[in-house]
Amino acid sequence: NRRDDTALSDWDILGMIGQNQIGRVSVTPTDVTKVEENPPSELKVSDVINATCSQDVFDNLMQDAFLSDAVNGGLPKVARSMVDDLTAKDDDILTTSERTIIPDDFIIKNFPTGSRYPFLCANEYLCSLTAMSAGIPTVNIRLSSDYSLNVIKRFDRILQDGKPYRYGFDDGLTLLQYIIEEESMSAQYNSSYEQMATEMLKHIRQEDKINLFKRVAISLVLRDGDAHLRNFGVLYNSKGRWFSPAYDICMTAMYYKENETDEHTSPFNETMALEMHGTREYPDAEGLLAFGMEACRLTRAETINGLSDIQRAVNELCNGGVEKSLRGYLYADKIGPMFHKIFNNFTMENIVPR
């Protein structure tokens, strides 16, 4: 109920943003016309990532989406339909849609390069490319030319027979909520990777077990201390359920808080977001092997093959992959070597058990 003429209730807010949630559930008030999905759009992906000032573009998108967007998370972000006018090149790791006039749905993340977490968007971009290289199904992600935006194609919405179609989506926190029995923001950190994997295995296909394992493993190898329950999910439709593509992978190790009095440092520390083997300390190669075999129910050979894929991808990243991925970007001659050094310093070595 409203406390006065101006206060908004939860139902009021849901009525404003309920048509644009993640997944297939939407809410439309009875007196409101349902918004057209994939409306005609003149905005192109290239307009966003090649803009002279990406921040201005993002601010305009946020203003357009005010009180109509239900995409949440730690970073400023907005959902928008855009025409994907960028086609894959021979040397491009990413797979993009063919040139088309039919708009696709994207999520645009923003984090200015001079902020508390320098080059966070570039960080997520490089980690995502590494996951792709390791053979892990991963979101289609692009980085703006000034490193301040990530443009991510939504995996919960597709075009089917030329018409918009929504997949259902449940993240790990939703699946485990009945066990955690907590609704605070910290609930997504109050579990273990074993508990999450056990629950996920009830909902995904047999062939997805290896992707679940590799998704967890690459986050830990890349020292992603924010790989919490909401960063793992299940997609579904009337035909079945499957493990979602990898998303929100970021090396938080480069933002470790070193000085309690430094307001520009990060709250991240040198521990994992969830427990594994009863601790939040990062596991060694044998710890990852045990997790794959015991929690993800893989054979020793399957687990070692998955770790080998990650080892190869990380080696490629640390041996020229960073510079190649940032080729053509602003200040790449300085940014590339910086990330090269960071990934070499923090990335876990000797991933595959001997």
Side-chain angles (χ1 to χ4, degrees), residues 5-78:
D5 292 338
T6 59
L8 292 175
S9 70
D10 291 345
W11 288 106
D12 292 325
I13 296 173
L14 183 62
M16 295 176 188
I17 66 176
Q19 297 187 56
N20 199 28
Q21 300 181 98
I22 298 293
R24 66 181 181 181
V25 177
S26 63
V27 179
T28 305
T30 55
D31 58 343
V32 174
T33 302
K34 187 169 177 135
V35 174
E36 178 186 1
E37 295 199 52
N38 290 74
S41 174
E42 295 183 359
L43 184 65
K44 302 180 179 65
V45 173
S46 60
D47 295 334
V48 176
I49 67 171
N50 295 326
T52 304
C53 182
S54 295
Q55 188 63 50
D56 289 345
V57 172
F58 184 79
D59 290 344
N60 290 334
L61 291 173
M62 284 291 288
Q63 187 173 4
D64 290 344
F66 182 63
L67 291 183
S68 66
D69 197 345
V71 181
N72 59 12
L75 292 182
K77 61 186 69 171
V78 62

Coordinates of all heavy atoms in Angstrom, one line a residue, residues 5-78:
D5 N 0.8 10.0 -1.4 CA 0.4 10.1 -2.8 C 1.6 9.9 -3.8 O 1.4 9.7 -5.0 CB -0.2 11.5 -3.1 CG -1.6 11.7 -2.5 OD1 -2.2 10.6 -2.2 OD2 -2.0 12.8 -2.2
T6 N 2.8 10.0 -3.3 CA 4.0 9.9 -4.1 C 4.8 8.6 -3.9 O 5.5 8.2 -4.8 CB 4.9 11.1 -3.9 OG1 5.3 11.1 -2.5 CG2 4.2 12.4 -4.3
A7 N 4.6 7.9 -2.8 CA 5.4 6.7 -2.5 C 5.0 5.6 -3.4 O 3.8 5.4 -3.8 CB 5.3 6.3 -1.1
L8 N 6.0 4.8 -3.8 CA 5.7 3.7 -4.7 C 5.8 2.4 -3.9 O 6.8 2.2 -3.2 CB 6.7 3.6 -5.9 CG 6.6 4.8 -6.9 CD1 7.8 4.6 -7.9 CD2 5.3 4.7 -7.6
S9 N 4.9 1.5 -4.1 CA 5.0 0.1 -3.5 C 5.8 -0.8 -4.4 O 6.1 -0.5 -5.6 CB 3.6 -0.4 -3.3 OG 3.0 -0.8 -4.6
D10 N 6.1 -2.0 -3.9 CA 6.8 -3.0 -4.7 C 5.9 -3.3 -5.9 O 6.5 -3.6 -7.0 CB 7.0 -4.2 -3.9 CG 8.1 -4.0 -2.8 OD1 8.8 -3.0 -2.9 OD2 8.2 -4.8 -1.9
W11 N 4.6 -3.4 -5.8 CA 3.7 -3.7 -6.9 C 3.8 -2.6 -8.0 O 3.7 -2.9 -9.2 CB 2.3 -3.9 -6.4 CG 2.1 -5.2 -5.7 CD1 2.0 -5.3 -4.3 CD2 2.2 -6.5 -6.2 NE1 1.9 -6.7 -4.0 CE2 2.0 -7.4 -5.1 CE3 2.3 -7.0 -7.5 CZ2 1.9 -8.8 -5.3 CZ3 2.2 -8.4 -7.7 CH2 2.1 -9.3 -6.6
D12 N 3.9 -1.4 -7.6 CA 4.0 -0.3 -8.5 C 5.3 -0.4 -9.4 O 5.2 -0.3 -10.6 CB 4.1 1.1 -7.8 CG 2.7 1.4 -7.1 OD1 1.7 1.1 -7.7 OD2 2.8 2.1 -6.1
I13 N 6.4 -0.7 -8.7 CA 7.6 -0.9 -9.4 C 7.6 -2.1 -10.3 O 8.1 -2.0 -11.5 CB 8.8 -1.0 -8.4 CG1 8.9 0.3 -7.6 CG2 10.1 -1.3 -9.1 CD1 9.9 0.2 -6.4
L14 N 7.0 -3.2 -9.8 CA 6.9 -4.4 -10.7 C 6.1 -4.1 -11.9 O 6.4 -4.6 -13.0 CB 6.3 -5.5 -9.9 CG 6.2 -6.9 -10.6 CD1 7.6 -7.4 -11.0 CD2 5.5 -7.9 -9.7
G15 N 5.1 -3.3 -11.8 CA 4.2 -2.9 -12.9 C 5.0 -2.2 -14.0 O 4.7 -2.2 -15.1
M16 N 6.0 -1.4 -13.5 CA 6.8 -0.6 -14.4 C 7.8 -1.4 -15.2 O 8.1 -1.2 -16.4 CB 7.5 0.6 -13.7 CG 6.6 1.6 -13.1 SD 7.5 2.8 -12.1 CE 6.2 3.7 -11.3
I17 N 8.5 -2.3 -14.5 CA 9.6 -3.0 -15.1 C 9.4 -4.5 -15.3 O 10.2 -5.2 -15.9 CB 10.9 -2.9 -14.1 CG1 10.6 -3.7 -12.8 CG2 11.2 -1.5 -13.9 CD1 11.8 -3.7 -11.9
G18 N 8.2 -5.0 -15.0 CA 7.9 -6.4 -15.0 C 7.9 -7.1 -16.4 O 7.9 -8.3 -16.5
Q19 N 7.8 -6.2 -17.4 CA 7.8 -6.8 -18.8 C 9.1 -7.2 -19.3 O 9.3 -7.8 -20.4 CB 7.0 -5.9 -19.7 CG 5.6 -5.6 -19.4 CD 4.9 -4.8 -20.4 OE1 4.9 -5.1 -21.6 NE2 4.4 -3.6 -20.0
N20 N 10.2 -6.7 -18.6 CA 11.5 -6.8 -19.2 C 12.5 -7.6 -18.3 O 13.6 -7.2 -18.1 CB 12.1 -5.4 -19.5 CG 13.2 -5.5 -20.5 OD1 13.3 -6.4 -21.3 ND2 14.1 -4.6 -20.4
Q21 N 12.0 -8.6 -17.6 CA 12.8 -9.3 -16.6 C 13.7 -10.4 -17.4 O 13.4 -10.7 -18.5 CB 11.9 -10.0 -15.6 CG 11.1 -9.0 -14.8 CD 10.3 -9.7 -13.7 OE1 10.7 -9.8 -12.6 NE2 9.2 -10.3 -14.1
I22 N 14.7 -10.9 -16.6 CA 15.5 -12.0 -17.2 C 14.6 -13.3 -17.1 O 13.9 -13.5 -16.1 CB 16.7 -12.2 -16.3 CG1 17.6 -11.0 -16.4 CG2 17.5 -13.5 -16.8 CD1 18.2 -10.7 -17.7
G23 N 14.6 -14.1 -18.2 CA 13.8 -15.3 -18.3 C 12.5 -15.0 -19.0 O 12.3 -14.0 -19.6
R24 N 11.6 -16.0 -18.9 CA 10.3 -15.9 -19.6 C 9.1 -15.4 -18.9 O 8.1 -15.2 -19.4 CB 10.0 -17.3 -20.2 CG 9.6 -18.3 -19.1 CD 9.3 -19.7 -19.8 NE 8.9 -20.7 -18.8 CZ 8.6 -21.9 -19.2 NH1 8.7 -22.3 -20.4 NH2 8.2 -22.8 -18.2
V25 N 9.3 -15.1 -17.6 CA 8.2 -14.6 -16.8 C 8.1 -13.1 -17.0 O 9.2 -12.4 -16.8 CB 8.4 -15.0 -15.3 CG1 7.3 -14.3 -14.5 CG2 8.4 -16.5 -15.1
S26 N 7.0 -12.6 -17.3 CA 6.8 -11.1 -17.4 C 5.5 -10.7 -16.7 O 4.6 -11.6 -16.5 CB 6.8 -10.7 -18.8 OG 5.7 -11.2 -19.5
V27 N 5.4 -9.5 -16.2 CA 4.3 -9.0 -15.5 C 3.8 -7.7 -16.2 O 4.6 -6.8 -16.4 CB 4.6 -8.7 -14.0 CG1 3.4 -8.2 -13.3 CG2 5.1 -10.0 -13.3
T28 N 2.5 -7.7 -16.6 CA 1.9 -6.5 -17.2 C 0.7 -6.1 -16.5 O -0.3 -7.0 -16.4 CB 1.6 -6.8 -18.7 OG1 2.8 -7.3 -19.4 CG2 1.1 -5.5 -19.4
P29 N 0.6 -4.9 -16.0 CA -0.7 -4.5 -15.3 C -1.9 -4.6 -16.3 O -1.7 -4.4 -17.5 CB -0.4 -3.0 -14.9 CG 1.1 -3.0 -14.8 CD 1.6 -3.9 -15.9
T30 N -3.0 -4.8 -15.8 CA -4.2 -5.0 -16.6 C -4.5 -3.7 -17.4 O -5.2 -3.8 -18.5 CB -5.4 -5.3 -15.8 OG1 -5.6 -4.4 -14.8 CG2 -5.2 -6.7 -15.1
D31 N -4.1 -2.5 -16.9 CA -4.5 -1.3 -17.6 C -3.3 -0.8 -18.5 O -3.4 0.4 -18.9 CB -4.9 -0.2 -16.6 CG -3.8 0.1 -15.6 OD1 -2.9 -0.8 -15.5 OD2 -3.9 1.1 -15.0
V32 N -2.3 -1.6 -18.7 CA -1.1 -1.2 -19.5 C -1.0 -2.1 -20.7 O -1.2 -3.3 -20.7 CB 0.2 -1.3 -18.7 CG1 1.4 -1.0 -19.5 CG2 0.1 -0.3 -17.5
T33 N -0.7 -1.5 -21.9 CA -0.5 -2.2 -23.1 C 0.8 -2.9 -23.1 O 1.8 -2.3 -22.7 CB -0.6 -1.3 -24.3 OG1 -1.8 -0.6 -24.4 CG2 -0.4 -2.1 -25.6
K34 N 0.8 -4.2 -23.4 CA 2.1 -5.0 -23.4 C 3.1 -4.4 -24.4 O 2.7 -4.1 -25.5 CB 1.8 -6.4 -23.7 CG 3.1 -7.3 -23.6 CD 2.7 -8.8 -23.6 CE 4.0 -9.5 -23.5 NZ 4.0 -10.6 -22.7
V35 N 4.3 -4.2 -24.0 CA 5.4 -3.6 -24.8 C 5.7 -4.6 -25.9 O 5.9 -5.8 -25.7 CB 6.6 -3.3 -24.0 CG1 7.8 -2.8 -24.9 CG2 6.3 -2.2 -23.0
E36 N 5.9 -4.1 -27.1 CA 6.3 -5.0 -28.2 C 7.8 -5.5 -28.0 O 8.7 -4.7 -27.7 CB 6.3 -4.2 -29.5 CG 6.7 -5.0 -30.7 CD 6.8 -4.1 -32.0 OE1 6.5 -2.9 -31.9 OE2 7.1 -4.7 -33.1
E37 N 8.0 -6.8 -28.2 CA 9.3 -7.4 -28.0 C 10.1 -7.2 -29.3 O 9.5 -7.2 -30.4 CB 9.2 -8.8 -27.7 CG 8.6 -9.1 -26.3 CD 9.0 -10.5 -25.8 OE1 10.2 -10.8 -25.8 OE2 8.1 -11.2 -25.4
N38 N 11.4 -6.9 -29.2 CA 12.2 -6.7 -30.4 C 11.6 -5.6 -31.2 O 11.4 -5.8 -32.4 CB 12.4 -7.9 -31.2 CG 13.3 -8.9 -30.5 OD1 12.9 -9.6 -29.5 ND2 14.6 -9.1 -30.9
P39 N 11.3 -4.4 -30.7 CA 10.7 -3.3 -31.5 C 11.7 -2.9 -32.6 O 12.9 -3.1 -32.4 CB 10.5 -2.2 -30.5 CG 11.5 -2.5 -29.4 CD 11.6 -4.0 -29.3
P40 N 11.3 -2.3 -33.6 CA 12.2 -1.8 -34.7 C 13.2 -0.9 -34.0 O 12.9 -0.1 -33.2 CB 11.2 -1.0 -35.6 CG 9.9 -1.6 -35.4 CD 9.8 -2.0 -34.0
S41 N 14.5 -1.1 -34.4 CA 15.6 -0.3 -33.8 C 16.5 0.2 -34.9 O 16.9 -0.5 -35.8 CB 16.3 -1.2 -32.8 OG 17.5 -0.5 -32.3
E42 N 16.9 1.5 -34.8 CA 17.9 2.0 -35.7 C 19.3 2.0 -35.0 O 20.3 2.2 -35.7 CB 17.5 3.5 -36.0 CG 16.2 3.6 -36.8 CD 15.9 5.1 -37.2 OE1 16.7 5.9 -36.8 OE2 14.9 5.3 -37.8
L43 N 19.3 1.6 -33.7 CA 20.6 1.6 -33.1 C 21.3 0.3 -33.4 O 20.8 -0.8 -33.4 CB 20.4 1.6 -31.5 CG 21.7 1.7 -30.7 CD1 22.4 3.0 -30.9 CD2 21.3 1.5 -29.2
K44 N 22.6 0.4 -33.8 CA 23.4 -0.7 -34.1 C 24.5 -1.0 -33.1 O 24.9 -0.1 -32.3 CB 24.1 -0.5 -35.5 CG 23.2 -0.2 -36.6 CD 24.0 0.1 -37.9 CE 23.1 0.3 -39.1 NZ 22.3 1.6 -38.9
V45 N 24.9 -2.2 -33.0 CA 26.0 -2.6 -32.0 C 27.2 -1.7 -32.3 O 27.9 -1.2 -31.3 CB 26.3 -4.1 -32.1 CG1 27.5 -4.4 -31.2 CG2 25.1 -4.9 -31.7
S46 N 27.6 -1.5 -33.5 CA 28.7 -0.7 -33.9 C 28.6 0.7 -33.4 O 29.6 1.4 -33.1 CB 29.0 -0.8 -35.4 OG 27.9 -0.2 -36.1
D47 N 27.4 1.2 -33.3 CA 27.2 2.6 -32.8 C 27.6 2.7 -31.4 O 28.1 3.8 -30.9 CB 25.7 3.0 -32.9 CG 25.2 3.1 -34.3 OD1 26.0 3.3 -35.2 OD2 24.0 2.9 -34.5
V48 N 27.5 1.6 -30.6 CA 27.8 1.6 -29.2 C 29.3 1.4 -29.0 O 29.9 2.2 -28.3 CB 27.0 0.6 -28.4 CG1 27.4 0.5 -27.0 CG2 25.5 0.9 -28.6
I49 N 29.8 0.4 -29.6 CA 31.2 0.0 -29.3 C 32.2 0.9 -30.0 O 33.4 1.0 -29.5 CB 31.5 -1.5 -29.6 CG1 31.5 -1.7 -31.1 CG2 30.6 -2.4 -28.8 CD1 32.0 -3.1 -31.4
N50 N 31.8 1.6 -31.0 CA 32.8 2.5 -31.7 C 32.5 4.0 -31.5 O 33.1 4.8 -32.1 CB 32.7 2.2 -33.2 CG 33.1 0.8 -33.6 OD1 34.0 0.3 -33.0 ND2 32.5 0.3 -34.6
A51 N 31.7 4.3 -30.5 CA 31.3 5.7 -30.2 C 32.6 6.4 -29.7 O 33.4 5.9 -29.0 CB 30.2 5.7 -29.2
T52 N 32.6 7.7 -30.1 CA 33.8 8.5 -29.6 C 33.7 8.6 -28.1 O 34.8 8.6 -27.4 CB 33.7 9.9 -30.2 OG1 33.6 9.8 -31.6 CG2 34.8 10.8 -29.8
C53 N 32.5 8.8 -27.5 CA 32.4 8.8 -26.0 C 31.3 7.8 -25.6 O 30.1 8.1 -25.7 CB 32.0 10.2 -25.5 SG 31.9 10.3 -23.7
S54 N 31.7 6.6 -25.2 CA 30.8 5.6 -24.9 C 29.9 5.9 -23.7 O 28.8 5.5 -23.6 CB 31.5 4.2 -24.6 OG 32.2 3.8 -25.8
Q55 N 30.5 6.7 -22.8 CA 29.7 7.1 -21.6 C 28.5 7.9 -22.0 O 27.4 7.7 -21.4 CB 30.6 7.9 -20.7 CG 30.0 8.2 -19.3 CD 29.7 6.9 -18.5 OE1 30.6 6.1 -18.4 NE2 28.5 6.8 -18.0
D56 N 28.6 8.8 -22.9 CA 27.4 9.6 -23.4 C 26.4 8.6 -24.0 O 25.2 8.8 -23.7 CB 27.9 10.6 -24.4 CG 28.7 11.7 -23.8 OD1 28.6 11.9 -22.5 OD2 29.3 12.5 -24.5
V57 N 26.8 7.7 -24.8 CA 25.9 6.7 -25.4 C 25.2 5.9 -24.3 O 23.9 5.8 -24.3 CB 26.6 5.7 -26.3 CG1 25.7 4.6 -26.8 CG2 27.2 6.5 -27.5
F58 N 25.9 5.5 -23.3 CA 25.3 4.7 -22.2 C 24.3 5.5 -21.4 O 23.2 5.1 -21.0 CB 26.4 4.1 -21.3 CG 25.8 3.2 -20.2 CD1 25.5 1.9 -20.5 CD2 25.6 3.7 -18.9 CE1 24.9 1.1 -19.5 CE2 25.1 2.9 -17.9 CZ 24.8 1.6 -18.2
D59 N 24.7 6.8 -21.1 CA 23.8 7.7 -20.3 C 22.5 7.9 -21.1 O 21.4 7.9 -20.5 CB 24.5 9.0 -20.1 CG 25.6 8.9 -19.1 OD1 25.7 7.9 -18.4 OD2 26.5 9.8 -19.0
N60 N 22.6 8.0 -22.4 CA 21.3 8.2 -23.2 C 20.5 6.9 -23.2 O 19.2 7.0 -23.1 CB 21.7 8.6 -24.6 CG 22.3 10.0 -24.7 OD1 22.0 10.8 -23.9 ND2 23.1 10.2 -25.8
L61 N 21.1 5.8 -23.2 CA 20.4 4.5 -23.2 C 19.7 4.3 -21.8 O 18.6 3.9 -21.7 CB 21.3 3.3 -23.4 CG 21.9 3.2 -24.9 CD1 22.9 2.1 -24.9 CD2 20.8 3.0 -25.9
M62 N 20.4 4.7 -20.8 CA 19.8 4.6 -19.4 C 18.6 5.5 -19.3 O 17.6 5.2 -18.7 CB 20.9 5.0 -18.4 CG 21.9 3.9 -18.1 SD 21.2 2.4 -17.3 CE 20.9 3.1 -15.6
Q63 N 18.7 6.7 -19.9 CA 17.6 7.6 -19.8 C 16.4 7.1 -20.6 O 15.2 7.2 -20.1 CB 18.0 9.0 -20.4 CG 17.0 10.1 -20.2 CD 17.5 11.4 -20.6 OE1 18.6 11.6 -21.1 NE2 16.7 12.5 -20.4
D64 N 16.7 6.5 -21.7 CA 15.6 5.9 -22.5 C 14.9 4.7 -21.7 O 13.7 4.5 -21.9 CB 16.1 5.4 -23.8 CG 16.5 6.5 -24.8 OD1 16.1 7.6 -24.5 OD2 17.2 6.2 -25.7
A65 N 15.7 4.0 -21.0 CA 15.2 2.8 -20.3 C 14.7 3.0 -18.9 O 14.3 2.1 -18.2 CB 16.3 1.7 -20.3
F66 N 14.7 4.3 -18.5 CA 14.3 4.6 -17.1 C 12.9 4.0 -16.8 O 12.0 4.2 -17.5 CB 14.3 6.1 -16.9 CG 14.0 6.6 -15.5 CD1 14.8 6.2 -14.4 CD2 12.9 7.3 -15.3 CE1 14.5 6.6 -13.1 CE2 12.5 7.7 -14.0 CZ 13.4 7.4 -12.9
L67 N 12.9 3.3 -15.7 CA 11.6 2.7 -15.2 C 11.0 1.7 -16.1 O 9.8 1.4 -16.1 CB 10.6 3.8 -14.8 CG 10.9 4.7 -13.6 CD1 9.7 5.6 -13.4 CD2 11.1 3.8 -12.4
S68 N 11.9 1.1 -17.0 CA 11.3 0.0 -17.8 C 12.3 -1.2 -17.9 O 12.0 -2.1 -18.6 CB 11.1 0.5 -19.3 OG 12.4 0.9 -19.9
D69 N 13.4 -1.1 -17.1 CA 14.4 -2.1 -17.2 C 14.6 -2.9 -15.9 O 14.7 -2.2 -14.8 CB 15.7 -1.4 -17.6 CG 16.8 -2.4 -18.1 OD1 16.6 -3.6 -17.9 OD2 17.8 -1.9 -18.7
A70 N 14.6 -4.2 -16.0 CA 14.6 -5.0 -14.7 C 15.9 -5.8 -14.7 O 16.0 -6.9 -14.1 CB 13.4 -5.9 -14.6
V71 N 17.0 -5.4 -15.3 CA 18.3 -6.1 -15.3 C 19.1 -5.5 -14.1 O 19.4 -4.4 -14.1 CB 19.0 -5.9 -16.6 CG1 20.3 -6.6 -16.6 CG2 18.2 -6.3 -17.8
N72 N 19.4 -6.4 -13.2 CA 20.1 -6.0 -12.0 C 21.5 -6.5 -12.0 O 21.9 -7.3 -12.9 CB 19.4 -6.3 -10.7 CG 19.2 -7.8 -10.6 OD1 19.8 -8.6 -11.3 ND2 18.3 -8.2 -9.7
G73 N 22.3 -6.1 -10.9 CA 23.7 -6.6 -10.8 C 24.5 -5.5 -10.2 O 24.1 -4.4 -9.9
G74 N 25.8 -5.9 -10.0 CA 26.8 -5.0 -9.4 C 27.2 -3.8 -10.3 O 27.7 -2.8 -9.7
L75 N 27.1 -3.9 -11.6 CA 27.5 -2.9 -12.5 C 26.3 -2.1 -13.1 O 25.2 -2.7 -13.2 CB 28.3 -3.4 -13.7 CG 29.7 -4.0 -13.4 CD1 30.3 -4.5 -14.7 CD2 30.6 -3.0 -12.7
P76 N 26.4 -0.9 -13.4 CA 25.4 -0.2 -14.1 C 25.2 -0.9 -15.5 O 26.1 -1.2 -16.2 CB 25.9 1.2 -14.3 CG 27.0 1.4 -13.3 CD 27.6 0.0 -13.1
K77 N 23.9 -1.2 -15.8 CA 23.6 -1.9 -17.0 C 22.2 -1.6 -17.5 O 21.4 -1.2 -16.7 CB 23.8 -3.4 -16.8 CG 22.9 -4.1 -15.8 CD 23.2 -5.5 -15.6 CE 24.5 -5.7 -14.8 NZ 24.8 -7.1 -14.4
V78 N 22.0 -1.8 -18.8 CA 20.8 -1.6 -19.4 C 20.5 -2.6 -20.5 O 21.4 -3.1 -21.1 CB 20.7 -0.2 -20.0 CG1 21.7 0.0 -21.1 CG2 19.3 0.2 -20.5

